[in-house]
Amino acid sequence: MNNSKTATQKHMTLDDRISIEKGLDQHLSLRSIALQLGKDPTTISKEIKKHRSFQEHNRFNEPANKCALAKDCKKKNICGTYAPVCKRMCRSCNHCNSHCEDFIPRSYHCSLLDKAPFVCNGCSKKNPCRLDKAYYRSSTAHRQYKTILVESRAGINISPADLVALDELVTPLILQGQSPYMILRNHPEIALSEKTLYNYIESGALSVKNIDLPKKVKYKVRSCSSSEAADLTIYEGRTYKDYQAFLKEFPDTRVTEMDTVLGCEGSKKVLLTLHFDCCSLMMAYLLDSKEVCHVKAIFDSIERSLGTFSFSSVFSLVLTDRGGEFRNPAALECGQENLIRTSIYYCDPMCSWQKPHCEKNHEYIRKICPKGTSFDDYS
């Protein structure tokens, strides 16, 4: 067992439960067990009482009379079946159990189970004991914990009445064309997150279905393959947190969001989009392919037209994603005569929402050039 006090965790592990079982077998106090695991004694107490397993008492050679008062009882012929022949004490048979008004069922509950340690693991009298027993077994406790964990996260956490009220409010609005995001913004009384509302629709809890969400039915299942660059050192000092820290220190810096719009599968040409946040203007350039050299060529062309000083003023800071066409920040940041012309920062992986203006304008581009359109015929 771990003898040093460690930081507490929200959930106990199987190793923790094994340590508890060993401590109980050794007749250690709950405080000693808690100290070894670095947890509060109350936590150990709740764990034991919640996951202990009860074992019924041994019925071998058990008296037939189930009355708790049978030992001192002097009554005779209570049942009246054998009167006046029967002269035995009623405690010697079990007929009185169903006839005697003073009958009290014999209890096999051990009072020691009502106080710490709440189980019989370390009890020296557990073998000859004829009472009901309780044991703490780590494997059983962990299996019960896993079952409860899964069941607690299944279904929806809302009452039937609240679900009906939510359905009556949300369904008509979605059928009118409103998105879940818009509904939650306009109805703050709905105490749900956008993701939860989508989950309710996905699970069929509401009358509205996925087919009624125009944008959702267009989404394709995301690929599980990672697009992370092998060389992560290029992102050092250029992450989204660094970007936020820079803007906090220099809030008047002009930000340009950069991204690419892809054509259909097999199409080489792509659109390079540059969105200027200060004036809500977007520029788009047609690239021959999705490569760093073509992005750099656009930067060089703009710099030659504006001059290095004007370029640095307009493109003070560029925020982009981690696409392969942007993975050479040094080439994009350095211009003529190796002068620094801009600063490149990258969004976090799978976080396109961190450059929302660019992504929103891409939706407008897709209305003109839907997904599946080839840019190879464009010039």
Side-chain angles (χ1 to χ4, degrees):
M1 289 184 289
N2 184 13
N3 294 324
S4 61
K5 187 171 182 178
T6 58
T8 58
Q9 298 87 24
K10 185 176 181 180
H11 295 270
M12 282 194 177
T13 64
L14 178 58
D15 292 337
D16 293 336
R17 293 185 167 91
I18 292 175
S19 298
I20 293 175
E21 182 181 358
K22 290 182 179 179
L24 293 173
D25 292 341
Q26 297 171 8
H27 202 59
L28 298 179
S29 66
L30 300 188
R31 184 173 296 277
S32 299
I33 298 174
L35 186 63
Q36 292 175 349
L37 296 178
K39 296 184 180 294
D40 191 271
T42 305
T43 302
I44 306 300
S45 174
K46 291 180 179 179
E47 166 68 18
I48 294 173
K49 288 191 289 186
K50 186 175 184 179
H51 296 298
R52 59 182 174 176
S53 302
F54 288 93
Q55 178 180 317
E56 192 178 15
H57 65 279
N58 187 1
R59 294 182 178 274
F60 177 74
N61 205 21
E62 184 180 35
N65 197 312
K66 307 297 182 183
C67 183
L69 306 176
K71 184 177 180 180
D72 301 321
C73 183
K74 304 295 184 181
K75 295 183 179 182
K76 295 182 180 180
N77 200 24
I78 296 177
C79 62
T81 304
Y82 303 102
V85 180
C86 182
K87 297 181 180 181
R88 294 188 304 166
M89 292 288 185
C90 289
R91 65 186 180 187
S92 62
C93 70
N94 61 350
H95 293 286
C96 64
N97 293 170
S98 57
H99 295 84
C100 182
E101 296 179 354
D102 299 327
F103 172 73
I104 299 177
R106 181 182 287 117
S107 174
Y108 293 93
H109 175 71
C110 179
S111 60
L112 296 178
L113 297 179
D114 297 330
K115 55 186 178 181
F118 310 105
V119 288
C120 307
N121 288 52
C123 182
S124 59
K125 301 179 181 180
K126 61 182 177 182
N127 290 332
C129 181
R130 301 300 297 268
L131 301 178
D132 293 337
K133 300 179 178 65
Y135 293 96
Y136 181 85
R137 302 301 183 205
S138 56
S139 57
T140 303
H142 195 67
R143 185 167 58 251
Q144 292 175 352
Y145 154 77
K146 297 290 287 185
T147 302
I148 294 174
L149 185 65
V150 172
E151 291 178 350
S152 65
R153 296 176 178 176
I156 57 176
N157 186 22
I158 189 173
S159 65
D162 292 340
L163 182 61
V164 171
L166 178 66
D167 190 22
E168 293 176 350
L169 174 61
V170 171
T171 298
L173 297 177
I174 290 182
L175 295 178
Q176 292 174 11
Q178 296 189 31
S179 66
Y181 171 79
M182 184 183 301
I183 294 173
L184 294 176
R185 292 283 292 181
N186 295 333
H187 296 273
E189 69 274 11
I190 302 178
L192 299 175
S193 66
E194 185 179 0
K195 176 62 176 176
T196 301
L197 186 54
Y198 272 110
N199 288 341
Y200 285 2
I201 297 173
E202 179 77 26
S203 63
L206 303 180
S207 300
V208 68
K209 307 299 180 185
N210 281 337
I211 194 66
D212 299 314
L213 303 174
K215 292 184 64 177
K216 185 169 184 179
V217 296
K218 295 180 181 179
Y219 291 158
K220 294 182 179 179
V221 178
R222 292 184 182 271
S223 174
C224 296
S225 59
S226 175
S227 59
E228 191 69 30
D231 183 13
L232 300 181
T233 58
I234 64 173
Y235 302 125
E236 293 180 359
R238 295 187 175 92
T239 64
Y240 190 73
K241 287 185 178 180
D242 298 324
Y243 161 78
Q244 291 178 313
F246 185 90
L247 285 186
K248 186 176 181 180
E249 185 176 357
F250 305 100
D252 297 330
T253 304
R254 293 181 177 179
V255 178
T256 303
E257 297 179 6
M258 179 170 63
D259 201 357
T260 52
V261 180
L262 306 181
C264 64
E265 185 176 356
S267 175
K268 292 185 177 181
K269 291 186 178 181
V270 298
L271 289 179
L272 175 68
T273 57
L274 300 169
H275 183 277
F276 303 96
D277 293 357
C278 61
C279 58
S280 299
L281 171 67
M282 173 175 276
M283 300 169 58
Y285 294 88
L286 187 64
L287 304 182
D288 290 335
S289 63
K290 188 182 175 184
E291 297 178 3
V292 177
C293 60
H294 296 296
V295 178
K296 183 180 183 303
I298 295 297
F299 273 43
D300 294 342
S301 175
I302 298 175
E303 183 184 6
R304 286 193 297 268
S305 300
L306 300 180
T308 303
F309 178 79
S310 297
F311 184 96
S312 299
S313 178
V314 175
F315 296 91
S316 301
L317 187 152
V318 177
L319 178 65
T320 185
D321 57 28
R322 303 194 178 195
E325 66 274 29
F326 306 127
R327 288 180 184 164
N328 191 347
L332 300 179
E333 290 178 341
C334 295
Q336 299 176 3
E337 300 179 0
N338 289 328
L339 297 177
I340 300 298
R341 58 188 176 187
T342 186
S343 297
I344 305 292
Y345 288 89
Y346 295 93
C347 298
D348 296 328
M350 307 299 292
C351 293
S352 58
W353 53 268
Q354 292 176 347
K355 46 181 179 60
H357 307 93
C358 203
E359 295 295 335
K360 183 62 179 178
N361 282 354
H362 286 182
E363 294 184 11
Y364 301 135
I365 294 177
R366 287 303 185 187
K367 290 184 179 180
I368 301 174
C369 303
K371 286 187 176 181
T373 301
S374 175
F375 296 138
D376 290 346
D377 297 332
Y378 292 8
S379 59

